[in-house]
Amino acid sequence: GENVEQHPSTLSVQEGDSAVIKCTYSDSASNYFPWYKQELGKRPQLIIDIRSNVGEKKDQRIAVTLNKTAKHFSLHITETQPEDSAVYFCAAGGGSQGNLIFGKGTKLSVKP
Amino acid sequence: GAGVSQSPSNKVTEKGKDVELRCDPISGHTALYWYRQSLGQGLEFLIYFQGNSAPDKSGLPSDRFSAERTGGSVSTLTIQRTQQEDSAVYLCASSLALGLTQETQYFGPGTRLLVL
């Protein structure tokens, strides 16, 4: 089955700096890669997703890149702000399975 | 419109008791998922329902866990003879799940289960 590895597990940056979180997946048939943000005590919320037919997608300060050959995808947050502090989860889905497999999460701390 | 709702929001039970957790998906969503999230951990897939197909139970950790979805809408996750290690937040999500295309999963607020 699918396996998703996420790095780093924790990330601390200064306000205004960029943050990058990386994930790798094992199932080459996976075709959907969402990123979720989970603030403390709250539900995960989708912030951006990408499908396997594109290599990059941007939404304001957030971008996701996908390398299908290497089977990895990354989340890029530019001009980080304290409210970006949360746990971020990557996931992979589609292909041979109907559910999403999540990475273990990255705790991002943005210091003012 | 209304999002995914779950009840109860919190549940405290004694070891050995059975518990039922409820999920109301977004209206019209054909796919429903249950996940478990232990404190400070990631999302562990439990079970997945898609339309009228047989559920994917591959993530259920033991035979004490079961789930059903009646009428293609509301789902109930049942944990029998609860153990302390069952303490976690149980999250439900739903999506359109059109054919083989994976669609966005929207999460409910979760049920925090504490087994004493």
Side-chain angles (χ1 to χ4, degrees):
Chain A
E2 176 68 279
N3 182 52
V4 177
E5 299 284 339
Q6 183 172 348
H7 299 280
S9 57
T10 60
L11 179 60
S12 182
V13 299
Q14 288 294 133
E15 183 177 0
D17 287 351
S18 295
V20 180
I21 303 170
K22 299 181 179 181
C23 289
T24 60
Y25 60 99
S26 61
D27 186 353
S28 57
S30 290
N31 55 29
Y32 177 63
F33 308 93
W35 286 88
Y36 284 83
K37 175 183 180 182
Q38 187 176 30
E39 297 177 355
L40 188 63
K42 297 189 177 181
R43 74 188 78 184
Q45 293 199 309
L46 180 77
I47 54 171
I48 195 168
D49 57 12
I50 191 169
R51 298 189 185 274
S52 57
N53 58 345
V54 298
E56 184 176 7
K57 184 176 179 180
K58 288 184 179 180
D59 183 3
Q60 299 182 335
R61 296 186 296 108
I62 295 173
V64 57
T65 59
L66 171 65
N67 183 326
K68 289 174 56 181
T69 303
K71 289 189 283 188
H72 67 69
F73 55 112
S74 301
L75 178 72
H76 304 253
I77 306 174
T78 59
E79 301 172 24
T80 53
Q81 302 168 2
E83 51 265 39
D84 293 331
S85 296
V87 178
Y88 291 80
F89 293 97
C90 65
S96 58
Q97 63 208 27
N99 58 292
L100 290 174
I101 301 299
F102 284 83
K104 293 189 181 300
T106 297
K107 183 177 181 180
L108 174 64
S109 300
V110 180
K111 298 181 178 179
Chain B
V4 178
S5 60
Q6 292 185 244
S7 61
S9 55
N10 292 281
K11 176 72 177 178
V12 181
T13 190
E14 294 179 347
K15 178 181 174 181
K17 300 279 189 179
D18 297 352
V19 295
E20 286 189 352
L21 312 180
R22 177 187 168 106
C23 172
D24 281 89
I26 293 172
S27 178
H29 279 192
T30 57
L32 186 147
Y33 312 80
W34 283 98
Y35 297 90
R36 178 169 70 175
Q37 187 173 34
S38 299
L39 187 63
Q41 300 299 309
L43 294 156
E44 177 189 4
F45 166 72
L46 297 178
I47 189 169
Y48 157 55
F49 297 88
Q50 162 61 326
N52 296 320
S53 302
D56 177 354
K57 304 178 181 180
S58 60
L60 293 178
S62 77
D63 58 8
R64 296 187 295 105
F65 288 72
S66 63
E68 62 178 21
R69 188 179 185 192
T70 54
S73 180
V74 172
S75 176
T76 302
L77 177 69
T78 301
I79 309 173
Q80 296 179 309
R81 306 181 300 283
T82 53
Q83 303 294 313
Q84 290 181 332
E85 58 263 31
D86 298 335
S87 297
V89 175
Y90 289 81
L91 289 159
C92 174
S94 71
S95 74
L96 285 171
L98 303 173
L100 292 178
T101 302
Q102 182 67 248
E103 299 295 329
T104 301
Q105 292 187 20
Y106 296 89
F107 283 85
T111 293
R112 285 169 174 71
L113 175 66
L114 177 60
V115 182
L116 300 176

